[in-house]
Amino acid sequence: MKIPKLVVRITYHCNNEVLEWMWSSDNPLMPYPYWTSCYLVDGLLIDSGAPGGENDLREFVKSLNHTQLIEKCFITHTHEDHAGGAHILDNEFGIPIYTSKKAIVLLKKGNTYPEYRQMAWGPKLLPVHAKIIDEPIITKSKKYKFELLSMEGHAPELVALIEKNQQWAFVADAVEPKYKMIFGRNSDIQEDISLIYQSLSKLYEFPDGMDNLLIFSAGNGVLQGREIITKKMEEIENLHVKVHESHKKLQKEGYSGKKLIRIIIKK
Ligand SMILES: [Zn+2]
């Protein structure tokens, strides 16, 4: 039996108002699919997939009917699995790309990254000229208004989009089922766990009274309810306590300096 290729998956949410375009590499070296998502809401495309998915993104854009046509694209952050297709949207379709002030320079530069990330997401991030946006984004038919919320931590430039009337939050990688907790100076992605915590708390406060909040993640589905945010924060608080306990214990056992930190990170 031939194993079906896992490349593109399209899912509709919220009475078809939100289209999720998911992409994963079919590289046989991958142990399981790594998904990334773009969302299309009333002509606004949130993120643009990975460099390896650009042909599939092109086909997707061509397949859209006139009511679905993309009017503009917003890039939440400059990791290759979010900004990878932006250059074809701009160059081949003339779709304007918007992003935060911090992300502009990074998008302009493009990016190369280690081989293990190339395996999942394709060879490299091509440069793209984006425009800064720092005010709410109104969608094509004026149905939706997305407010911008800076959620640094996973990446310093990450901005989430929030539609208060609909109780929607498009957060990209700012809320993840399990934080990868990539610590250490040698890691090529620097997540800052204390900033992630602060951003989660901002996200919790932002849609005050929205208990039916839907959190649209990139590749990890749609999470329902604000209490998910508190759960994530508790996870980090517990981790914080554990780190201090370990620290004390290891000090008592005679460890200190870099060696002590290394053991904690490993744990
Ligand atoms: Zn990311």
PDB file of all heavy atoms in Angstrom, residues 140-157:
ATOM      1  N   LYS A 140     -11.052  42.733   4.340  1.00  0.00           N
ATOM      2  CA  LYS A 140     -11.549  43.147   3.024  1.00  0.00           C
ATOM      3  C   LYS A 140     -12.982  43.686   3.032  1.00  0.00           C
ATOM      4  O   LYS A 140     -13.239  44.774   2.543  1.00  0.00           O
ATOM      5  CB  LYS A 140     -11.456  41.919   2.105  1.00  0.00           C
ATOM      6  CG  LYS A 140     -11.539  42.199   0.649  1.00  0.00           C
ATOM      7  CD  LYS A 140     -11.034  41.021  -0.183  1.00  0.00           C
ATOM      8  CE  LYS A 140     -11.904  39.777  -0.042  1.00  0.00           C
ATOM      9  NZ  LYS A 140     -11.439  38.651  -0.878  1.00  0.00           N
ATOM     10  N   SER A 141     -13.916  42.930   3.611  1.00  0.00           N
ATOM     11  CA  SER A 141     -15.313  43.388   3.572  1.00  0.00           C
ATOM     12  C   SER A 141     -15.655  44.225   4.820  1.00  0.00           C
ATOM     13  O   SER A 141     -16.815  44.516   5.051  1.00  0.00           O
ATOM     14  CB  SER A 141     -16.254  42.199   3.468  1.00  0.00           C
ATOM     15  OG  SER A 141     -16.253  41.512   4.708  1.00  0.00           O
ATOM     16  N   LYS A 142     -14.647  44.564   5.595  1.00  0.00           N
ATOM     17  CA  LYS A 142     -14.770  45.345   6.839  1.00  0.00           C
ATOM     18  C   LYS A 142     -15.521  44.582   7.944  1.00  0.00           C
ATOM     19  O   LYS A 142     -15.962  45.158   8.913  1.00  0.00           O
ATOM     20  CB  LYS A 142     -15.454  46.700   6.563  1.00  0.00           C
ATOM     21  CG  LYS A 142     -14.790  47.479   5.434  1.00  0.00           C
ATOM     22  CD  LYS A 142     -15.024  48.956   5.553  1.00  0.00           C
ATOM     23  CE  LYS A 142     -14.168  49.808   4.649  1.00  0.00           C
ATOM     24  NZ  LYS A 142     -13.624  49.185   3.444  1.00  0.00           N
ATOM     25  N   LYS A 143     -15.629  43.295   7.774  1.00  0.00           N
ATOM     26  CA  LYS A 143     -16.342  42.473   8.753  1.00  0.00           C
ATOM     27  C   LYS A 143     -15.562  42.321  10.051  1.00  0.00           C
ATOM     28  O   LYS A 143     -16.122  42.228  11.125  1.00  0.00           O
ATOM     29  CB  LYS A 143     -16.513  41.076   8.140  1.00  0.00           C
ATOM     30  CG  LYS A 143     -17.952  40.605   8.059  1.00  0.00           C
ATOM     31  CD  LYS A 143     -17.980  39.107   7.846  1.00  0.00           C
ATOM     32  CE  LYS A 143     -18.042  38.741   6.368  1.00  0.00           C
ATOM     33  NZ  LYS A 143     -18.187  37.287   6.155  1.00  0.00           N
ATOM     34  N   TYR A 144     -14.262  42.258   9.935  1.00  0.00           N
ATOM     35  CA  TYR A 144     -13.436  41.959  11.102  1.00  0.00           C
ATOM     36  C   TYR A 144     -12.364  43.014  11.326  1.00  0.00           C
ATOM     37  O   TYR A 144     -11.805  43.571  10.372  1.00  0.00           O
ATOM     38  CB  TYR A 144     -12.763  40.592  10.953  1.00  0.00           C
ATOM     39  CG  TYR A 144     -13.732  39.482  10.683  1.00  0.00           C
ATOM     40  CD1 TYR A 144     -13.661  38.731   9.511  1.00  0.00           C
ATOM     41  CD2 TYR A 144     -14.762  39.198  11.587  1.00  0.00           C
ATOM     42  CE1 TYR A 144     -14.572  37.721   9.244  1.00  0.00           C
ATOM     43  CE2 TYR A 144     -15.683  38.188  11.333  1.00  0.00           C
ATOM     44  CZ  TYR A 144     -15.575  37.455  10.156  1.00  0.00           C
ATOM     45  OH  TYR A 144     -16.489  36.458   9.892  1.00  0.00           O
ATOM     46  N   LYS A 145     -12.111  43.221  12.626  1.00  0.00           N
ATOM     47  CA  LYS A 145     -11.049  44.157  12.995  1.00  0.00           C
ATOM     48  C   LYS A 145     -10.083  43.409  13.918  1.00  0.00           C
ATOM     49  O   LYS A 145     -10.466  42.938  14.993  1.00  0.00           O
ATOM     50  CB  LYS A 145     -11.679  45.340  13.744  1.00  0.00           C
ATOM     51  CG  LYS A 145     -10.693  46.375  14.221  1.00  0.00           C
ATOM     52  CD  LYS A 145     -11.454  47.464  14.956  1.00  0.00           C
ATOM     53  CE  LYS A 145     -10.531  48.355  15.748  1.00  0.00           C
ATOM     54  NZ  LYS A 145     -11.314  49.265  16.607  1.00  0.00           N
ATOM     55  N   PHE A 146      -8.847  43.303  13.468  1.00  0.00           N
ATOM     56  CA  PHE A 146      -7.840  42.585  14.262  1.00  0.00           C
ATOM     57  C   PHE A 146      -6.929  43.566  14.977  1.00  0.00           C
ATOM     58  O   PHE A 146      -6.282  44.397  14.339  1.00  0.00           O
ATOM     59  CB  PHE A 146      -6.998  41.692  13.349  1.00  0.00           C
ATOM     60  CG  PHE A 146      -7.730  40.467  12.894  1.00  0.00           C
ATOM     61  CD1 PHE A 146      -8.384  40.440  11.667  1.00  0.00           C
ATOM     62  CD2 PHE A 146      -7.784  39.340  13.700  1.00  0.00           C
ATOM     63  CE1 PHE A 146      -9.072  39.307  11.250  1.00  0.00           C
ATOM     64  CE2 PHE A 146      -8.466  38.199  13.289  1.00  0.00           C
ATOM     65  CZ  PHE A 146      -9.112  38.188  12.063  1.00  0.00           C
ATOM     66  N   GLU A 147      -6.903  43.453  16.295  1.00  0.00           N
ATOM     67  CA  GLU A 147      -5.957  44.284  17.054  1.00  0.00           C
ATOM     68  C   GLU A 147      -4.636  43.535  17.195  1.00  0.00           C
ATOM     69  O   GLU A 147      -4.606  42.306  17.209  1.00  0.00           O
ATOM     70  CB  GLU A 147      -6.563  44.607  18.415  1.00  0.00           C
ATOM     71  CG  GLU A 147      -7.790  45.489  18.241  1.00  0.00           C
ATOM     72  CD  GLU A 147      -8.430  45.871  19.560  1.00  0.00           C
ATOM     73  OE1 GLU A 147      -7.718  46.423  20.405  1.00  0.00           O
ATOM     74  OE2 GLU A 147      -9.620  45.597  19.709  1.00  0.00           O
ATOM     75  N   LEU A 148      -3.562  44.304  17.276  1.00  0.00           N
ATOM     76  CA  LEU A 148      -2.231  43.696  17.340  1.00  0.00           C
ATOM     77  C   LEU A 148      -1.773  43.601  18.796  1.00  0.00           C
ATOM     78  O   LEU A 148      -1.904  44.561  19.543  1.00  0.00           O
ATOM     79  CB  LEU A 148      -1.222  44.549  16.556  1.00  0.00           C
ATOM     80  CG  LEU A 148      -1.603  44.978  15.133  1.00  0.00           C
ATOM     81  CD1 LEU A 148      -0.482  45.784  14.498  1.00  0.00           C
ATOM     82  CD2 LEU A 148      -1.912  43.774  14.269  1.00  0.00           C
ATOM     83  N   LEU A 149      -1.271  42.453  19.165  1.00  0.00           N
ATOM     84  CA  LEU A 149      -0.749  42.279  20.526  1.00  0.00           C
ATOM     85  C   LEU A 149       0.655  41.688  20.445  1.00  0.00           C
ATOM     86  O   LEU A 149       0.850  40.567  19.977  1.00  0.00           O
ATOM     87  CB  LEU A 149      -1.671  41.341  21.324  1.00  0.00           C
ATOM     88  CG  LEU A 149      -1.215  41.025  22.743  1.00  0.00           C
ATOM     89  CD1 LEU A 149      -1.326  42.252  23.645  1.00  0.00           C
ATOM     90  CD2 LEU A 149      -2.013  39.871  23.337  1.00  0.00           C
ATOM     91  N   SER A 150       1.616  42.476  20.918  1.00  0.00           N
ATOM     92  CA  SER A 150       2.991  42.002  20.903  1.00  0.00           C
ATOM     93  C   SER A 150       3.137  40.877  21.932  1.00  0.00           C
ATOM     94  O   SER A 150       2.774  41.033  23.089  1.00  0.00           O
ATOM     95  CB  SER A 150       3.916  43.183  21.218  1.00  0.00           C
ATOM     96  OG  SER A 150       5.130  42.685  21.701  1.00  0.00           O
ATOM     97  N   MET A 151       3.624  39.715  21.485  1.00  0.00           N
ATOM     98  CA  MET A 151       3.771  38.565  22.399  1.00  0.00           C
ATOM     99  C   MET A 151       5.176  37.989  22.284  1.00  0.00           C
ATOM    100  O   MET A 151       5.381  36.878  21.809  1.00  0.00           O
ATOM    101  CB  MET A 151       2.742  37.490  22.063  1.00  0.00           C
ATOM    102  CG  MET A 151       1.335  37.858  22.443  1.00  0.00           C
ATOM    103  SD  MET A 151       0.212  36.433  22.363  1.00  0.00           S
ATOM    104  CE  MET A 151       0.752  35.419  23.754  1.00  0.00           C
ATOM    105  N   GLU A 152       6.159  38.773  22.695  1.00  0.00           N
ATOM    106  CA  GLU A 152       7.533  38.290  22.544  1.00  0.00           C
ATOM    107  C   GLU A 152       7.811  37.130  23.497  1.00  0.00           C
ATOM    108  O   GLU A 152       7.063  36.893  24.434  1.00  0.00           O
ATOM    109  CB  GLU A 152       8.535  39.425  22.738  1.00  0.00           C
ATOM    110  CG  GLU A 152       8.308  40.260  23.949  1.00  0.00           C
ATOM    111  CD  GLU A 152       9.144  41.531  23.939  1.00  0.00           C
ATOM    112  OE1 GLU A 152      10.293  41.463  23.495  1.00  0.00           O
ATOM    113  OE2 GLU A 152       8.653  42.557  24.406  1.00  0.00           O
ATOM    114  N   GLY A 153       8.892  36.416  23.229  1.00  0.00           N
ATOM    115  CA  GLY A 153       9.246  35.262  24.069  1.00  0.00           C
ATOM    116  C   GLY A 153       9.660  34.103  23.183  1.00  0.00           C
ATOM    117  O   GLY A 153      10.807  33.684  23.174  1.00  0.00           O
ATOM    118  N   HIS A 154       8.717  33.611  22.378  1.00  0.00           N
ATOM    119  CA  HIS A 154       9.058  32.571  21.392  1.00  0.00           C
ATOM    120  C   HIS A 154       9.981  33.188  20.336  1.00  0.00           C
ATOM    121  O   HIS A 154      10.944  32.576  19.894  1.00  0.00           O
ATOM    122  CB  HIS A 154       7.781  32.029  20.763  1.00  0.00           C
ATOM    123  CG  HIS A 154       8.017  31.164  19.569  1.00  0.00           C
ATOM    124  ND1 HIS A 154       8.534  29.891  19.669  1.00  0.00           N
ATOM    125  CD2 HIS A 154       7.849  31.400  18.240  1.00  0.00           C
ATOM    126  CE1 HIS A 154       8.659  29.382  18.448  1.00  0.00           C
ATOM    127  NE2 HIS A 154       8.255  30.281  17.567  1.00  0.00           N
ATOM    128  N   ALA A 155       9.654  34.411  19.924  1.00  0.00           N
ATOM    129  CA  ALA A 155      10.525  35.227  19.061  1.00  0.00           C
ATOM    130  C   ALA A 155      10.309  36.674  19.501  1.00  0.00           C
ATOM    131  O   ALA A 155       9.196  37.033  19.875  1.00  0.00           O
ATOM    132  CB  ALA A 155      10.143  35.056  17.604  1.00  0.00           C
ATOM    133  N   PRO A 156      11.373  37.495  19.465  1.00  0.00           N
ATOM    134  CA  PRO A 156      11.227  38.863  20.002  1.00  0.00           C
ATOM    135  C   PRO A 156      10.223  39.713  19.223  1.00  0.00           C
ATOM    136  O   PRO A 156       9.659  40.658  19.773  1.00  0.00           O
ATOM    137  CB  PRO A 156      12.633  39.466  19.870  1.00  0.00           C
ATOM    138  CG  PRO A 156      13.501  38.428  19.274  1.00  0.00           C
ATOM    139  CD  PRO A 156      12.736  37.184  19.026  1.00  0.00           C
ATOM    140  N   GLU A 157       9.989  39.367  17.932  1.00  0.00           N
ATOM    141  CA  GLU A 157       9.131  40.219  17.106  1.00  0.00           C
ATOM    142  C   GLU A 157       7.699  39.699  16.995  1.00  0.00           C
ATOM    143  O   GLU A 157       6.893  40.285  16.282  1.00  0.00           O
ATOM    144  CB  GLU A 157       9.754  40.348  15.706  1.00  0.00           C
ATOM    145  CG  GLU A 157       9.641  39.117  14.791  1.00  0.00           C
ATOM    146  CD  GLU A 157      10.651  38.009  15.082  1.00  0.00           C
ATOM    147  OE1 GLU A 157      11.334  38.082  16.116  1.00  0.00           O
ATOM    148  OE2 GLU A 157      10.740  37.051  14.281  1.00  0.00           O
TER     149      GLU A 157
END
